[in-house]
Amino acid sequence: MNIIGLIIAFSAAVFLIFKDYNMGLSLFTGAVILNFFSGFGFVNLFENIILTLQDPTTIQLMLVVTLISGLGYLMDLTGDMKRMIDACINIFKDGKILSMILPALIGTLSAPGGAILSAPMINESGDKIGLDKNRKTAINLFFRHIGYFIYPLYSSIIVASSMLNRSAASIIKYNAVIMLSGIIIAYFVFFRNLESEKKHKNRSSFTENIYNFGRAFFPIFIILFLALVMKVYFPLAALIGIVTAVFNKWPEEEKVKIFKNRFYKFFTKGIKYNLTLIIFGVMVFKTTLEKSGVINIIADVLTGLGLPLFLVIIVLGFISGYITGVHMAATGILLAIFIPLFPAGVEGPYVSLLLTSIIIGYLVSPLHLCLALTTEYFSSEIAEVYRLLFLPLTGMTLAGVIQIMIFA
């Protein structure tokens, strides 16, 4: 009954999302359905809501994403976004490469709601090379996470290497092939049939471009430095970064008036308050899912079907990443199941395929905040975004299977 409930709950949530209802309300509806199919009543549903709202992670995410959602607007208002993108274009020359690099750089910094940091950059750079809203969404989502495959501090790689008692490098060397396959395919899919790039006369020196970029990027750098290096409470770090952005390019006259105007526009026009509701829906669904125990039920069913191991890995990895929207949790759960099934001495390519399947499921999950936030930011069509992602993600999966055939 739990599995049937999950199927109905996810189907209902996905249907509502495809009908352009708010993702937060759609996922909350799914959580209500799953709650009752799991044999729980209204009291349990109310408890899940209270637990979610009391969870420090939920509170932090709501505050951070709410604040960061308006940062791009504020940087547009001060002209910082244009200066930063122009400097990058002068440095990298190719707008396509720029659109790939910006989200990848932000992605290595594992910031909650990080997609919101790179989305305004993709919006600006994408306009210069003729990207539509759906391609901007796919690019921001895909390249923000592509570095996960080789990033030693990526939580799932740390979990996998620890559980296998092997070095991260033993996994990364297989992941690198998968990552490269995805980048090549994505480049041709995302940037095909574009308008000719607009010529940009570069009259600034390299040093000037670096300076301009650094000054414009400084508010974002402050947030990431304070939160990730100095370990300052993330919402406070975000607030400090926003105040820094308000004061960036400070005018000589009417300072108080402009200060008030920037803050007023930030809170009234910049912040996307509907993103707060999305996080609430995501977190309530996760709480309900954890209590249902359905992940373990699905694992038991699939591992008992007698299918080829690589196929079970792909299916179970994708499903776990998709329905949890949490790659690290899915990695820990599935490795506990699969480690005894991996052939001794050649675990690497199998682990790599498992991580790939989980990341792909996680990438396209309605519970994945980056998907929800980026889709909402660009007002894109999620079905079209999925269509754009299909070939790169399929190619990566095939690369993982081929590695198993070669090395296992």
Side-chain angles (χ1 to χ4, degrees):
M1 184 61 74
N2 283 12
I3 294 179
I4 295 174
L6 180 62
I7 293 172
I8 294 174
F10 244 88
S11 297
V14 171
F15 174 78
L16 291 173
I17 291 170
F18 272 73
K19 289 294 182 180
D20 292 327
Y21 287 90
N22 179 274
M23 284 189 179
L25 290 176
S26 301
L27 289 167
F28 180 76
T29 301
V32 172
I33 294 171
L34 179 60
N35 180 77
F36 289 113
F37 268 92
S38 299
F40 304 126
F42 282 103
V43 173
N44 186 266
L45 177 63
F46 182 74
E47 288 176 350
N48 289 346
I49 294 172
I50 297 300
L51 284 173
T52 300
L53 292 176
Q54 291 178 337
D55 184 359
T57 300
T58 302
I59 296 171
Q60 177 172 306
L61 282 173
M62 283 183 169
L63 290 172
V64 169
V65 170
T66 300
L67 290 171
I68 288 179
S69 69
L71 182 58
Y73 176 88
L74 184 58
M75 292 177 70
D76 266 336
L77 189 66
T78 61
D80 280 334
M81 188 62 67
K82 185 177 186 303
R83 279 185 288 273
M84 183 166 61
I85 298 300
D86 284 346
C88 283
I89 288 175
N90 289 338
I91 294 169
F92 292 107
K93 311 299 182 185
D94 189 338
K96 297 176 184 178
I97 300 299
L98 179 67
S99 296
M100 297 161 63
I101 288 175
L102 289 175
L105 288 175
I106 296 297
T108 63
L109 299 171
S110 302
I116 292 299
L117 288 174
S118 55
M121 303 177 193
I122 295 301
N123 192 42
E124 188 79 16
S125 63
D127 284 344
K128 295 181 181 296
I129 56 174
L131 289 174
D132 59 43
K133 60 184 181 181
N134 297 314
R135 294 195 193 192
K136 289 176 183 176
T137 301
I139 288 168
N140 192 45
L141 185 67
F142 183 85
F143 287 106
R144 168 169 162 72
H145 300 89
I146 196 65
Y148 282 10
F149 287 87
I150 60 170
Y151 188 43
L153 298 182
Y154 173 50
S155 56
S156 287
I157 288 181
I158 294 173
V159 169
S161 61
S162 298
M163 292 183 70
L164 285 166
N165 196 26
R166 296 182 181 276
S167 68
S170 67
I171 299 171
I172 290 174
K173 67 180 182 180
Y174 295 106
N175 284 355
V177 175
I178 294 174
M179 182 189 75
L180 183 60
S181 301
I183 290 174
I184 293 172
I185 297 172
Y187 180 86
F188 289 104
V189 171
F190 297 159
F191 299 109
R192 73 185 187 283
N193 300 326
L194 287 179
E195 300 173 1
S196 299
E197 294 186 27
K198 297 177 182 179
K199 299 297 182 181
H200 186 86
K201 293 183 179 179
N202 181 13
R203 297 179 179 177
S204 304
S205 68
F206 178 79
T207 303
E208 288 175 318
N209 287 319
I210 291 294
Y211 172 78
N212 290 336
F213 174 84
R215 184 171 180 179
F217 186 76
F218 191 65
I220 297 175
F221 172 79
I222 284 291
I223 295 174
L224 298 175
F225 177 77
L226 290 176
L228 302 178
V229 179
M230 302 302 294
K231 305 300 180 183
V232 174
Y233 183 54
F234 216 112
L236 178 59
L239 185 60
I240 293 172
I242 287 163
V243 173
T244 303
V246 169
F247 282 98
N248 235 11
K249 298 298 291 185
W250 198 240
E252 294 295 330
E253 300 177 353
E254 298 185 314
K255 294 183 178 181
V256 174
K257 179 181 178 181
I258 292 176
F259 175 85
K260 290 180 178 179
N261 182 59
R262 286 180 178 179
F263 258 113
Y264 174 77
K265 288 187 175 180
F266 171 75
F267 283 106
T268 58
K269 296 182 179 180
I271 290 179
K272 299 179 183 296
Y273 292 99
N274 55 341
L275 300 184
T276 310
L277 185 58
I278 290 177
I279 293 174
F280 170 74
V282 167
M283 300 307 283
V284 170
F285 197 102
K286 286 181 179 178
T287 301
T288 307
L289 183 64
E290 289 169 0
K291 287 194 173 184
S292 72
V294 71
I295 293 291
N296 292 330
I297 296 173
I298 294 174
D300 291 340
V301 171
L302 284 179
T303 53
L305 292 178
L307 298 172
L309 182 56
F310 76 84
L311 184 58
V312 177
I313 288 172
I314 292 171
V315 173
L316 195 51
F318 178 85
I319 290 176
S320 297
Y322 184 81
I323 67 177
T324 63
V326 183
H327 52 80
M328 186 173 66
T331 300
I333 293 170
L334 293 185
L335 277 175
I337 296 171
F338 281 115
I339 284 177
L341 304 177
F342 292 151
V346 288
E347 299 92 345
Y350 285 96
V351 175
S352 183
L353 179 62
L354 178 62
L355 289 175
T356 299
S357 302
I358 291 172
I359 292 174
I360 288 174
Y362 158 73
L363 198 69
V364 300
S365 171
L367 291 178
H368 182 193
L369 287 177
C370 287
L371 172 64
L373 299 176
T374 305
T375 303
E376 191 75 22
Y377 184 90
F378 288 114
S379 300
S380 50
E381 302 163 10
I382 195 167
E384 180 62 18
V385 173
Y386 281 159
R387 188 187 70 79
L388 288 166
L389 290 171
F390 178 77
L391 281 179
L393 299 183
T394 300
M396 293 168 72
T397 303
L398 290 175
V401 172
I402 291 171
Q403 285 194 121
I404 285 179
M405 293 179 175
I406 294 174
F407 299 108

